[in-house]
Amino acid sequence: MKMMTITNDAFWILLILFISMASSSTIPSLQGSGIGTNYGRYSSNLGGNLFHILFPLSRLILDRFLLLLHFPAPEIGINYGRYGTNLPPPEALPSLITSLSIKHVKTFDMDPRITTSFANTGISLSLCIPNDKIPTLSTNLSEADSIIRTFILPYHKTTIITSISVGNEVSLLPQFSPHLLSAIVNVHRAIKRYRLHKKIKVTTTHSLAILSRRFPPSTARFHGSFGESVLKPLVRFLLRTKSPLMVNVYPYLAYKQSFPSIPLDFALFQPANGSKRRMYRDPYSGVAYTNLFDVMMDSVDSAVKALGLPKVPVVVSEIGWPSSGDPDEAAASLENARVFNQRLVEHLRRREKKVTVYIFALFDEDMKTGATVEKHWGLLYGNGSRKYDLNISPPV
């Protein structure tokens, strides 16, 4: 994560620290001529006791500041899907999300009611243009301009909008992939017309199905012709516009598809202090891994590198673990969901390569079709109550 994410905390911590240090000028070793005369030496009420109060306080503040420097709070967001019955209304979202200590929300549409509900809250939004708009957007700049005028311009001054995803997981779909880059470029042009291109980035989200090879991570590759025809020009666009490559990363799905090759604890971020930690070493790069998430992230980086392109910033647009599933999905449990998401947060704090992630999802969505597991990814039940405790706030 960029240092900018701790600017406000750092400013106030340093200010208090300097004030405390200046105020504690009765430290004996500094009591020389002209030193320590501004505070405490001429007060019978304060005297030397001030040092004993302020010095521990200064040390506490300094320790907190150093913690922020070495382990800055990770950028953690949440996906907000709406395929559920009786979900809380959009107006209730800011308080629910704030209670989770989350400040970033990713949606799957551009509903003005949702955008308005986050006005003046300090919570940022990542919006999404529906898939069916892509073919038209690819050839019609006026359509892109209309979308920006309708869904962005009336709201961006009061609601923090950080990015727009043009479609969701459409890279491999033949009805959309040939039109994808042109659609993204036109939306970017429309954003740039209103001078919002530095504030709002335009990109799209991908599933890891875009990789034809994932393991070992150093040998990962995108699907043949797709990599050259779609991903390579897209990544060049992202690099030029300083926009992120958004990828949905699901260790649960990789674990399930590879069972029993991948141990469950490896997918669940085994404890950092565990006595029997499993380790996977890439036989080509020599890099050692203790969790599946880092393996998957490095696979994406390697696939980009294999295209002959420099490293592009990656945002994990979806990640999570289901709390329930069909009888043959024993790993989809409430406890495993809690363990995965909590250890994900802790791992992101320690991780040297900082990355923004959006946990999937805010609510269970009982209206989703398909396997039972699809309905149970939420941190919250459909009525807004918590499934389990999750501590996202940085340690104090």
Short mmCIF file of all heavy atoms in Angstrom, two decimals, residues 15-68:
data_model
loop_
_atom_site.label_atom_id
_atom_site.label_comp_id
_atom_site.label_asym_id
_atom_site.label_seq_id
_atom_site.Cartn_x
_atom_site.Cartn_y
_atom_site.Cartn_z
N LEU A 15 2.67 15.08 15.14
CA LEU A 15 2.39 16.35 15.79
C LEU A 15 2.33 16.18 17.30
O LEU A 15 2.94 16.93 18.06
CB LEU A 15 1.06 16.92 15.27
CG LEU A 15 0.61 18.27 15.88
CD1 LEU A 15 1.64 19.34 15.57
CD2 LEU A 15 -0.76 18.65 15.34
N ILE A 16 1.57 15.16 17.74
CA ILE A 16 1.47 14.92 19.19
C ILE A 16 2.82 14.53 19.76
O ILE A 16 3.20 14.94 20.85
CB ILE A 16 0.42 13.83 19.46
CG1 ILE A 16 -0.96 14.31 19.01
CG2 ILE A 16 0.38 13.47 20.94
CD1 ILE A 16 -2.02 13.22 19.04
N LEU A 17 3.56 13.72 19.00
CA LEU A 17 4.86 13.29 19.47
C LEU A 17 5.80 14.48 19.68
O LEU A 17 6.45 14.60 20.71
CB LEU A 17 5.47 12.31 18.46
CG LEU A 17 6.91 11.85 18.72
CD1 LEU A 17 7.00 11.12 20.05
CD2 LEU A 17 7.39 10.96 17.59
N PHE A 18 5.83 15.39 18.70
CA PHE A 18 6.72 16.54 18.81
C PHE A 18 6.29 17.46 19.96
O PHE A 18 7.11 18.00 20.69
CB PHE A 18 6.76 17.32 17.50
CG PHE A 18 7.44 16.58 16.39
CD1 PHE A 18 7.07 16.77 15.08
CD2 PHE A 18 8.46 15.68 16.66
CE1 PHE A 18 7.69 16.08 14.05
CE2 PHE A 18 9.09 14.99 15.65
CZ PHE A 18 8.70 15.19 14.35
N ILE A 19 4.97 17.62 20.10
CA ILE A 19 4.48 18.45 21.20
C ILE A 19 4.86 17.83 22.54
O ILE A 19 5.31 18.50 23.47
CB ILE A 19 2.95 18.64 21.11
CG1 ILE A 19 2.61 19.49 19.89
CG2 ILE A 19 2.40 19.27 22.38
CD1 ILE A 19 1.12 19.60 19.62
N SER A 20 4.70 16.50 22.63
CA SER A 20 5.03 15.81 23.87
C SER A 20 6.50 15.93 24.19
O SER A 20 6.89 16.19 25.33
CB SER A 20 4.63 14.34 23.76
OG SER A 20 3.25 14.21 23.54
N MET A 21 7.34 15.76 23.15
CA MET A 21 8.78 15.84 23.38
C MET A 21 9.20 17.25 23.76
O MET A 21 10.04 17.45 24.63
CB MET A 21 9.53 15.37 22.14
CG MET A 21 9.36 13.88 21.85
SD MET A 21 10.22 13.36 20.36
CE MET A 21 11.91 13.56 20.91
N ALA A 22 8.57 18.23 23.09
CA ALA A 22 8.91 19.62 23.43
C ALA A 22 8.45 19.96 24.84
O ALA A 22 9.10 20.70 25.56
CB ALA A 22 8.24 20.56 22.42
N SER A 23 7.30 19.40 25.21
CA SER A 23 6.75 19.70 26.52
C SER A 23 7.52 19.02 27.63
O SER A 23 7.55 19.49 28.77
CB SER A 23 5.28 19.26 26.59
OG SER A 23 4.52 19.91 25.60
N SER A 24 8.13 17.89 27.34
CA SER A 24 8.83 17.14 28.39
C SER A 24 10.28 17.60 28.49
O SER A 24 11.19 16.80 28.59
CB SER A 24 8.77 15.64 28.07
OG SER A 24 9.39 15.38 26.84
N SER A 25 10.48 18.91 28.48
CA SER A 25 11.84 19.46 28.47
C SER A 25 12.47 19.50 29.85
O SER A 25 13.49 20.12 30.04
CB SER A 25 11.82 20.87 27.88
OG SER A 25 10.89 21.68 28.57
N THR A 26 11.88 18.83 30.83
CA THR A 26 12.50 18.75 32.16
C THR A 26 13.35 17.51 32.30
O THR A 26 13.72 17.13 33.40
CB THR A 26 11.43 18.74 33.25
OG1 THR A 26 10.53 17.65 32.99
CG2 THR A 26 10.65 20.04 33.26
N ILE A 27 13.67 16.82 31.17
CA ILE A 27 14.56 15.66 31.23
C ILE A 27 15.89 16.12 31.80
O ILE A 27 16.49 17.08 31.30
CB ILE A 27 14.77 15.07 29.82
CG1 ILE A 27 13.41 14.62 29.27
CG2 ILE A 27 15.76 13.93 29.84
CD1 ILE A 27 13.47 14.13 27.86
N PRO A 28 16.38 15.48 32.87
CA PRO A 28 17.58 15.96 33.55
C PRO A 28 18.76 16.21 32.64
O PRO A 28 19.48 17.19 32.79
CB PRO A 28 17.87 14.83 34.55
CG PRO A 28 16.53 14.22 34.81
CD PRO A 28 15.80 14.31 33.51
N SER A 29 18.98 15.34 31.66
CA SER A 29 20.18 15.49 30.82
C SER A 29 20.11 16.72 29.94
O SER A 29 21.11 17.12 29.37
CB SER A 29 20.34 14.24 29.95
OG SER A 29 19.23 14.11 29.09
N LEU A 30 18.93 17.34 29.81
CA LEU A 30 18.79 18.53 28.99
C LEU A 30 18.69 19.80 29.82
O LEU A 30 18.49 20.87 29.28
CB LEU A 30 17.54 18.41 28.10
CG LEU A 30 17.53 17.27 27.11
CD1 LEU A 30 16.24 17.31 26.29
CD2 LEU A 30 18.73 17.34 26.18
N GLN A 31 18.80 19.69 31.12
CA GLN A 31 18.61 20.86 31.96
C GLN A 31 19.89 21.67 32.07
O GLN A 31 20.50 21.79 33.11
CB GLN A 31 18.13 20.43 33.35
CG GLN A 31 16.69 19.93 33.33
CD GLN A 31 16.18 19.60 34.72
OE1 GLN A 31 16.89 19.80 35.70
NE2 GLN A 31 14.97 19.12 34.80
N GLY A 32 20.27 22.25 30.97
CA GLY A 32 21.41 23.15 30.97
C GLY A 32 20.94 24.57 30.77
O GLY A 32 19.76 24.88 30.81
N SER A 33 21.88 25.48 30.54
CA SER A 33 21.55 26.88 30.33
C SER A 33 20.68 27.04 29.10
O SER A 33 21.02 26.57 28.02
CB SER A 33 22.84 27.70 30.15
OG SER A 33 22.53 29.03 29.84
N GLY A 34 19.53 27.68 29.28
CA GLY A 34 18.64 27.95 28.17
C GLY A 34 17.82 26.76 27.73
O GLY A 34 17.14 26.84 26.72
N ILE A 35 17.88 25.66 28.46
CA ILE A 35 17.12 24.47 28.07
C ILE A 35 16.14 24.12 29.17
O ILE A 35 16.47 24.13 30.34
CB ILE A 35 18.05 23.26 27.83
CG1 ILE A 35 19.01 23.59 26.68
CG2 ILE A 35 17.27 22.00 27.54
CD1 ILE A 35 20.00 22.51 26.40
N GLY A 36 14.92 23.81 28.79
CA GLY A 36 13.93 23.36 29.75
C GLY A 36 13.29 24.48 30.53
O GLY A 36 12.78 24.24 31.62
N THR A 37 13.28 25.70 29.99
CA THR A 37 12.73 26.80 30.75
C THR A 37 11.31 27.15 30.33
O THR A 37 10.69 28.01 30.93
CB THR A 37 13.60 28.05 30.55
OG1 THR A 37 13.64 28.37 29.16
CG2 THR A 37 14.99 27.82 31.09
N ASN A 38 10.79 26.48 29.26
CA ASN A 38 9.47 26.84 28.76
C ASN A 38 8.33 26.14 29.47
O ASN A 38 7.20 26.59 29.42
CB ASN A 38 9.37 26.52 27.26
CG ASN A 38 10.26 27.44 26.47
OD1 ASN A 38 10.44 28.59 26.83
ND2 ASN A 38 10.83 26.92 25.40
N TYR A 39 8.58 24.98 30.08
CA TYR A 39 7.47 24.21 30.62
C TYR A 39 7.94 23.45 31.84
O TYR A 39 8.93 22.76 31.79
CB TYR A 39 6.98 23.21 29.57
CG TYR A 39 5.58 22.68 29.85
CD1 TYR A 39 4.56 22.89 28.95
CD2 TYR A 39 5.29 21.96 31.00
CE1 TYR A 39 3.28 22.40 29.19
CE2 TYR A 39 4.03 21.48 31.26
CZ TYR A 39 3.03 21.69 30.35
OH TYR A 39 1.78 21.23 30.58
N GLY A 40 7.25 23.62 32.97
CA GLY A 40 7.38 22.70 34.08
C GLY A 40 8.35 23.10 35.17
O GLY A 40 8.17 22.71 36.31
N ARG A 41 9.36 23.87 34.89
CA ARG A 41 10.37 24.11 35.92
C ARG A 41 9.91 25.10 36.96
O ARG A 41 10.46 25.16 38.04
CB ARG A 41 11.67 24.61 35.28
CG ARG A 41 12.32 23.56 34.39
CD ARG A 41 13.64 24.02 33.87
NE ARG A 41 14.60 24.18 34.98
CZ ARG A 41 15.80 24.72 34.82
NH1 ARG A 41 16.16 25.15 33.64
NH2 ARG A 41 16.61 24.83 35.84
N TYR A 42 8.90 25.90 36.63
CA TYR A 42 8.47 26.92 37.57
C TYR A 42 7.06 26.66 38.07
O TYR A 42 6.35 27.57 38.43
CB TYR A 42 8.56 28.30 36.91
CG TYR A 42 9.96 28.62 36.49
CD1 TYR A 42 10.34 28.55 35.16
CD2 TYR A 42 10.93 28.94 37.43
CE1 TYR A 42 11.63 28.82 34.77
CE2 TYR A 42 12.23 29.19 37.05
CZ TYR A 42 12.58 29.13 35.72
OH TYR A 42 13.88 29.39 35.33
N SER A 43 6.63 25.41 38.05
CA SER A 43 5.30 25.07 38.54
C SER A 43 5.41 24.04 39.64
O SER A 43 5.94 22.96 39.45
CB SER A 43 4.45 24.48 37.39
OG SER A 43 3.24 23.98 37.89
N SER A 44 4.87 24.38 40.81
CA SER A 44 4.92 23.45 41.92
C SER A 44 3.97 22.28 41.70
O SER A 44 4.09 21.24 42.32
CB SER A 44 4.54 24.17 43.22
OG SER A 44 3.23 24.72 43.10
N ASN A 45 3.00 22.45 40.78
CA ASN A 45 2.03 21.39 40.54
C ASN A 45 2.56 20.34 39.55
O ASN A 45 2.18 19.19 39.60
CB ASN A 45 0.73 21.96 39.98
CG ASN A 45 0.02 22.82 41.01
OD1 ASN A 45 0.09 22.53 42.19
ND2 ASN A 45 -0.63 23.88 40.54
N LEU A 46 3.43 20.79 38.62
CA LEU A 46 3.91 19.88 37.59
C LEU A 46 5.28 19.32 37.93
O LEU A 46 5.46 18.12 38.06
CB LEU A 46 3.95 20.59 36.24
CG LEU A 46 2.58 21.04 35.71
CD1 LEU A 46 2.77 21.80 34.41
CD2 LEU A 46 1.67 19.85 35.50
N GLY A 47 6.24 20.19 38.07
CA GLY A 47 7.59 19.78 38.44
C GLY A 47 8.12 18.67 37.56
O GLY A 47 7.84 18.57 36.39
N GLY A 48 8.91 17.77 38.15
CA GLY A 48 9.53 16.69 37.41
C GLY A 48 8.57 15.57 37.05
O GLY A 48 8.91 14.69 36.28
N ASN A 49 7.35 15.58 37.64
CA ASN A 49 6.42 14.48 37.36
C ASN A 49 5.93 14.50 35.92
O ASN A 49 5.46 13.50 35.41
CB ASN A 49 5.20 14.58 38.29
CG ASN A 49 5.58 14.27 39.73
OD1 ASN A 49 6.52 13.51 39.96
ND2 ASN A 49 4.87 14.87 40.67
N LEU A 50 6.03 15.64 35.25
CA LEU A 50 5.54 15.75 33.88
C LEU A 50 6.28 14.77 32.96
O LEU A 50 5.68 14.15 32.10
CB LEU A 50 5.72 17.18 33.38
CG LEU A 50 5.24 17.43 31.94
CD1 LEU A 50 3.74 17.20 31.84
CD2 LEU A 50 5.58 18.85 31.52
N PHE A 51 7.58 14.65 33.22
CA PHE A 51 8.36 13.75 32.39
C PHE A 51 7.84 12.32 32.50
O PHE A 51 7.73 11.61 31.51
CB PHE A 51 9.83 13.80 32.80
CG PHE A 51 10.66 12.71 32.18
CD1 PHE A 51 10.97 12.73 30.84
CD2 PHE A 51 11.09 11.64 32.95
CE1 PHE A 51 11.72 11.73 30.27
CE2 PHE A 51 11.83 10.63 32.38
CZ PHE A 51 12.15 10.67 31.05
N HIS A 52 7.51 11.92 33.70
CA HIS A 52 7.06 10.54 33.92
C HIS A 52 5.71 10.29 33.26
O HIS A 52 5.36 9.14 32.98
CB HIS A 52 6.98 10.25 35.42
CG HIS A 52 8.31 10.35 36.11
ND1 HIS A 52 9.34 9.45 35.89
CD2 HIS A 52 8.80 11.28 36.98
CE1 HIS A 52 10.39 9.80 36.62
NE2 HIS A 52 10.09 10.90 37.28
N ILE A 53 4.95 11.36 32.98
CA ILE A 53 3.67 11.20 32.30
C ILE A 53 3.86 11.25 30.79
O ILE A 53 3.34 10.40 30.06
CB ILE A 53 2.69 12.33 32.72
CG1 ILE A 53 2.40 12.21 34.22
CG2 ILE A 53 1.42 12.26 31.91
CD1 ILE A 53 1.59 13.38 34.75
N LEU A 54 4.63 12.24 30.33
CA LEU A 54 4.73 12.47 28.90
C LEU A 54 5.68 11.52 28.19
O LEU A 54 5.46 11.17 27.04
CB LEU A 54 5.16 13.91 28.63
CG LEU A 54 4.10 14.97 28.92
CD1 LEU A 54 4.67 16.36 28.68
CD2 LEU A 54 2.87 14.76 28.05
N PHE A 55 6.75 11.10 28.89
CA PHE A 55 7.70 10.23 28.21
C PHE A 55 7.08 8.89 27.82
O PHE A 55 7.20 8.45 26.67
CB PHE A 55 8.96 10.01 29.05
CG PHE A 55 9.98 9.17 28.35
CD1 PHE A 55 10.66 9.65 27.23
CD2 PHE A 55 10.26 7.88 28.80
CE1 PHE A 55 11.59 8.87 26.58
CE2 PHE A 55 11.18 7.10 28.14
CZ PHE A 55 11.86 7.59 27.04
N PRO A 56 6.37 8.21 28.74
CA PRO A 56 5.70 6.97 28.30
C PRO A 56 4.68 7.23 27.20
O PRO A 56 4.52 6.41 26.29
CB PRO A 56 5.00 6.47 29.58
CG PRO A 56 5.79 7.08 30.70
CD PRO A 56 6.20 8.43 30.18
N LEU A 57 3.98 8.38 27.25
CA LEU A 57 3.02 8.70 26.21
C LEU A 57 3.72 8.87 24.88
O LEU A 57 3.26 8.38 23.85
CB LEU A 57 2.26 9.98 26.58
CG LEU A 57 1.26 10.50 25.53
CD1 LEU A 57 0.17 9.47 25.30
CD2 LEU A 57 0.66 11.83 25.99
N SER A 58 4.88 9.56 24.90
CA SER A 58 5.62 9.76 23.67
C SER A 58 6.10 8.43 23.10
O SER A 58 6.05 8.20 21.89
CB SER A 58 6.83 10.68 23.91
OG SER A 58 6.41 11.93 24.38
N ARG A 59 6.56 7.55 23.99
CA ARG A 59 7.01 6.24 23.55
C ARG A 59 5.86 5.45 22.94
O ARG A 59 6.03 4.76 21.93
CB ARG A 59 7.62 5.45 24.72
CG ARG A 59 9.00 5.92 25.12
CD ARG A 59 10.00 5.77 23.96
NE ARG A 59 10.04 4.41 23.46
CZ ARG A 59 10.82 3.46 23.97
NH1 ARG A 59 11.65 3.74 24.97
NH2 ARG A 59 10.81 2.24 23.47
N LEU A 60 4.69 5.54 23.56
CA LEU A 60 3.52 4.83 23.04
C LEU A 60 3.16 5.33 21.65
O LEU A 60 2.89 4.56 20.73
CB LEU A 60 2.33 5.01 24.00
CG LEU A 60 1.01 4.36 23.57
CD1 LEU A 60 1.17 2.85 23.51
CD2 LEU A 60 -0.10 4.73 24.54
N ILE A 61 3.18 6.67 21.49
CA ILE A 61 2.85 7.26 20.20
C ILE A 61 3.91 6.89 19.16
O ILE A 61 3.59 6.56 18.02
CB ILE A 61 2.73 8.79 20.32
CG1 ILE A 61 1.55 9.14 21.23
CG2 ILE A 61 2.56 9.45 18.96
CD1 ILE A 61 1.48 10.61 21.59
N LEU A 62 5.17 6.91 19.56
CA LEU A 62 6.25 6.55 18.64
C LEU A 62 6.11 5.10 18.20
O LEU A 62 6.27 4.77 17.02
CB LEU A 62 7.61 6.78 19.29
CG LEU A 62 8.84 6.43 18.43
CD1 LEU A 62 8.84 7.25 17.16
CD2 LEU A 62 10.11 6.65 19.23
N ASP A 63 5.82 4.21 19.15
CA ASP A 63 5.65 2.80 18.81
C ASP A 63 4.50 2.64 17.81
O ASP A 63 4.58 1.84 16.88
CB ASP A 63 5.36 1.97 20.06
CG ASP A 63 6.59 1.83 20.95
OD1 ASP A 63 7.70 2.11 20.46
OD2 ASP A 63 6.44 1.47 22.13
N ARG A 64 3.42 3.40 18.04
CA ARG A 64 2.26 3.32 17.13
C ARG A 64 2.65 3.80 15.73
O ARG A 64 2.27 3.21 14.72
CB ARG A 64 1.14 4.19 17.71
CG ARG A 64 -0.04 4.41 16.77
CD ARG A 64 -0.75 3.13 16.47
NE ARG A 64 -1.96 3.38 15.71
CZ ARG A 64 -2.57 2.48 14.98
NH1 ARG A 64 -2.09 1.27 14.91
NH2 ARG A 64 -3.68 2.78 14.32
N PHE A 65 3.44 4.88 15.68
CA PHE A 65 3.87 5.42 14.39
C PHE A 65 4.76 4.43 13.65
O PHE A 65 4.60 4.20 12.45
CB PHE A 65 4.61 6.73 14.61
CG PHE A 65 5.14 7.33 13.33
CD1 PHE A 65 4.28 7.78 12.36
CD2 PHE A 65 6.50 7.44 13.13
CE1 PHE A 65 4.75 8.32 11.18
CE2 PHE A 65 6.99 7.99 11.95
CZ PHE A 65 6.11 8.43 10.98
N LEU A 66 5.70 3.81 14.38
CA LEU A 66 6.58 2.84 13.74
C LEU A 66 5.80 1.63 13.25
O LEU A 66 6.11 1.05 12.21
CB LEU A 66 7.67 2.40 14.73
CG LEU A 66 8.69 3.49 15.09
CD1 LEU A 66 9.66 2.97 16.15
CD2 LEU A 66 9.45 3.96 13.86
N LEU A 67 4.75 1.24 13.99
CA LEU A 67 3.91 0.14 13.55
C LEU A 67 3.22 0.48 12.23
O LEU A 67 3.12 -0.34 11.32
CB LEU A 67 2.86 -0.17 14.62
CG LEU A 67 1.91 -1.34 14.34
CD1 LEU A 67 2.70 -2.64 14.29
CD2 LEU A 67 0.82 -1.42 15.39
N LEU A 68 2.77 1.72 12.12
CA LEU A 68 2.12 2.16 10.88
C LEU A 68 3.10 2.17 9.72
O LEU A 68 2.74 1.85 8.58
CB LEU A 68 1.50 3.55 11.05
CG LEU A 68 0.19 3.61 11.84
CD1 LEU A 68 -0.16 5.06 12.14
CD2 LEU A 68 -0.94 2.95 11.08
#
